[in-house]
Amino acid sequence: MGQQLNLALQIERYLPQQSLELINAISSKANQCGQMAYLVGGIVRDILLGYPNFDLDLVIEGDAVNLAHQIAKADRVKLITHPRFGTAKLRYNNFTLDMATARGELYAKPGALPVVTPGTINDDLLRRDFSINAMAISLNNNNYGELIDPHQGRSDLEHRFIRILHPNSFRDDATRIFRATRYEQRLGFEIEPQTVRLLKHNIPMVDTISGDRIRHELELIFRENYPEYILRRLSKLGALQRINTSLKGNGWIAEQFEKARLLNKPGLLSSLYLSLLIYPLRTEENEHFIHRLNISTKLAQVLRDTLHLKSQLHFLAQPFIKHSEIYYLLYEYSPLAIQTNAIASESQAACSNLELFLSKLRYIKTTLNGEDLLKLGFSAGPELGKALQILHKAKLNGLVKTRAEEEKLALSLQHL
Ligand code: CTP
């Protein structure tokens, strides 16, 4: 055991006033009924590192769900509870608060969700992934601010190591393979040698993780500043290929991710990263990926569109291609698939036509609509549809600009 460290001052300096008041209110409520409250996990790690992280995780030796109900009622905030797991989430304006009843876990089967039993804070820390995430800070009257660090997390923070707590860790939960790599790259740490050895040994355990959980891990990776570094490392460790043999975390991916970030569209970034990741895959490899990750129908369509469009790019690279031809080649593809190809295509001409579609052509509409054409004497039916399309093509190609020009063209079509 290292020297006892008290972090009361650090908590006060680090946490915004509102969070501080809240956790103190929770801990006194807990203490009043003989329960104990602790800050745990990522927030403790980040307080020690001095990094921002305002999502609070509390563990309660007692009944977290009941306590959360009392707090939510007093503060009038949104509460989601999972009584079966003893967890609750409170959503405040600018942060979330997770509360969990201290528990021990037993993994009946690799990759499955664990069997949970009530326990002490030490049981709760023992079930965690890495030593740097397995520390707690007491919020209790008798030892407020004291660091609880049974797995030498503080020493690993100092030595910049990601270390598992026991040899079965990756076998119990192979998502930790992805988590270890994510923290290593995010924090600029190193996976400790014995942990690397066990990680490599347990790569086949990736097969035990459900598609939803793997997808969640990829989403978390895509939220990092530089997901390409994590993919590169996962690829070197052989974990990426275990999801799908054709996935790569190479320099090409790194270049495309960089270009995706330069678009400055944070809301799209995660989906763009995903479609860029599958860009080098063949159709059947993509189908395997979609199936393995249990990807939603909507997103699967984006991925399929991405590869289908990739096979059509030679049409877009033709010299003297008309704007109307670009439009009618692209209008049925999802914008995300088009954006992905605009980033990843090697043809400069194709890229600029894809960009032209995204920024301009897709918004061009005729001024006249079906009603207007009926008033001009057209009769309802396929001919009217055809006339509208001719007008649209003419507008796309800059042959008509004003309403009067559209009307003139429409009238000339009637006499054909
Ligand atoms: N945890 C774990 N094993 C997992 C997932 C989570 O042991 N497979 C534990 C870790 O102690 C982690 C805590 O649950 O610190 C909370 O998980 P999460 O919110 O994913 O991680 P944070 O540490 O808060 O990390 P981040 O900074 O990435 O949000």
Side-chain angles (χ1 to χ4, degrees):
M1 271 282 196
Q3 203 190 332
Q4 281 298 355
L5 181 69
N6 194 294
L7 296 166
L9 273 180
Q10 277 90 329
I11 306 176
E12 268 173 42
R13 284 199 206 117
Y14 178 91
L15 290 179
Q17 192 59 23
Q18 193 195 0
S19 308
L20 193 63
E21 282 169 13
L22 178 65
I23 62 166
N24 289 338
I26 295 176
S27 71
S28 41
K29 203 162 236 147
N31 287 181
Q32 275 162 25
C33 37
Q35 307 187 24
M36 300 289 179
Y38 303 88
L39 265 182
V40 287
I43 182 111
V44 179
R45 173 197 73 218
D46 288 339
I47 287 176
L48 285 165
L49 287 170
Y51 291 170
N53 175 351
F54 301 116
D55 288 334
L56 302 171
D57 267 313
L58 293 191
V59 160
I60 309 294
E61 279 178 335
D63 184 347
V65 174
N66 187 293
L67 203 57
H69 272 291
Q70 297 180 44
I71 303 291
K73 206 165 154 194
D75 286 5
R76 298 211 184 132
V77 292
K78 200 173 161 207
L79 169 72
I80 302 166
T81 62
H82 297 283
R84 201 159 74 84
F85 296 106
T87 60
K89 189 185 259 309
L90 292 128
R91 203 174 285 285
Y92 288 80
N93 277 344
N94 42 1
F95 66 92
T96 57
L97 171 80
D98 283 290
M99 288 170 69
T101 303
R103 62 192 197 253
E105 281 179 354
L106 193 74
Y107 286 86
K109 206 168 90 196
L113 288 175
V115 178
V116 170
T117 49
T120 62
I121 183 68
N122 278 320
D123 295 327
D124 201 279
L125 295 178
L126 180 62
R127 75 182 174 81
R128 290 173 185 264
D129 49 6
F130 311 114
S131 62
I132 60 166
N133 287 343
M135 292 181 275
I137 299 174
S138 167
L139 299 174
N140 304 305
N141 294 335
N142 58 343
N143 58 350
Y144 186 90
E146 196 170 280
L147 181 72
I148 300 163
D149 179 18
H151 307 286
Q152 287 73 52
R154 200 176 139 213
S155 156
D156 282 338
L157 276 184
E158 272 161 26
H159 295 100
R160 308 176 78 79
F161 275 145
I162 310 292
R163 182 198 302 272
I164 44 173
L165 306 188
H166 56 84
N168 281 338
S169 187
F170 291 120
R171 191 173 168 276
D172 285 347
D173 178 2
T175 64
R176 289 173 178 163
I177 292 172
F178 299 92
R179 293 176 63 85
T181 312
R182 182 157 57 86
Y183 289 119
E184 181 192 54
Q185 299 300 315
R186 180 205 295 173
L187 300 171
F189 281 25
E190 206 182 298
I191 304 176
E192 169 276 330
Q194 176 70 354
T195 300
V196 174
R197 202 182 62 73
L198 285 161
L199 185 155
K200 286 185 179 158
H201 178 76
N202 281 290
I203 292 288
M205 288 293 147
V206 170
D207 297 355
T208 66
I209 317 173
S210 71
D212 289 343
R213 294 186 76 207
I214 295 198
R215 201 182 62 249
H216 181 62
E217 288 308 317
L218 274 186
E219 284 162 4
L220 292 176
I221 289 171
F222 291 156
R223 279 186 217 157
E224 298 287 331
N225 289 342
Y226 299 101
E228 58 268 38
Y229 298 152
I230 305 170
L231 295 179
R232 183 179 61 192
R233 178 73 157 133
L234 283 170
S235 177
K236 283 202 176 131
L237 292 165
L240 204 57
Q241 300 84 317
R242 196 78 200 184
I243 301 175
N244 181 302
T245 44
S246 313
L247 291 180
K248 293 199 173 63
N250 55 15
W252 183 86
I253 287 284
E255 257 175 55
Q256 311 312 314
F257 278 21
E258 180 71 46
K259 285 194 255 169
R261 282 192 291 276
L262 289 175
L263 292 175
N264 226 344
K265 292 183 182 160
L268 287 187
L269 203 51
S270 188
S271 313
L272 271 178
Y273 283 150
L274 188 72
S275 48
L276 288 167
L277 183 65
I278 61 96
Y279 201 76
L281 302 194
R282 285 178 300 159
T283 310
E284 54 287 7
E285 293 165 340
N286 188 36
E287 289 307 316
H288 170 275
F289 182 80
I290 288 168
H291 185 252
R292 177 66 182 98
L293 266 67
N294 194 24
I295 288 179
S296 70
T297 316
K298 202 169 155 208
L299 189 54
Q301 192 54 47
V302 171
L303 302 186
R304 291 187 180 115
D305 270 9
T306 300
L307 292 193
H308 189 267
L309 179 54
K310 182 182 169 191
S311 72
Q312 305 295 305
L313 288 180
H314 53 282
F315 292 120
L316 283 168
Q318 296 172 102
F320 311 117
I321 185 169
K322 290 184 186 159
H323 286 185
S324 58
E325 290 169 325
I326 299 173
Y327 180 92
Y328 282 96
L329 237 153
L330 293 178
Y331 79 105
E332 283 184 321
Y333 288 102
S334 58
L336 212 68
I338 299 175
Q339 186 68 74
T340 307
N341 276 279
I343 295 171
S345 163
E346 278 166 17
S347 152
Q348 196 51 51
C351 282
S352 49
N353 287 332
L354 291 161
E355 288 294 356
L356 180 68
F357 175 85
L358 287 173
S359 62
K360 200 169 148 203
L361 301 183
R362 67 170 156 157
Y363 301 114
I364 292 182
K365 305 269 180 287
T366 53
T367 316
L368 299 185
N369 58 24
E371 295 265 300
D372 297 321
L373 291 197
L374 287 174
K375 280 184 204 154
L376 284 178
F378 280 80
S379 36
E383 265 176 33
L384 187 136
K386 213 163 173 195
L388 279 173
Q389 198 182 60
I390 292 174
L391 282 181
H392 187 218
K393 283 185 181 171
K395 183 108 183 209
L396 283 164
N397 294 332
L399 301 176
V400 293
K401 291 197 174 67
T402 62
R403 186 183 176 97
E405 283 170 349
E406 282 186 34
E407 280 177 356
K408 197 170 158 202
L409 176 59
L411 288 171
S412 76
L413 294 173
Q414 266 187 318
H415 307 299
L416 285 182

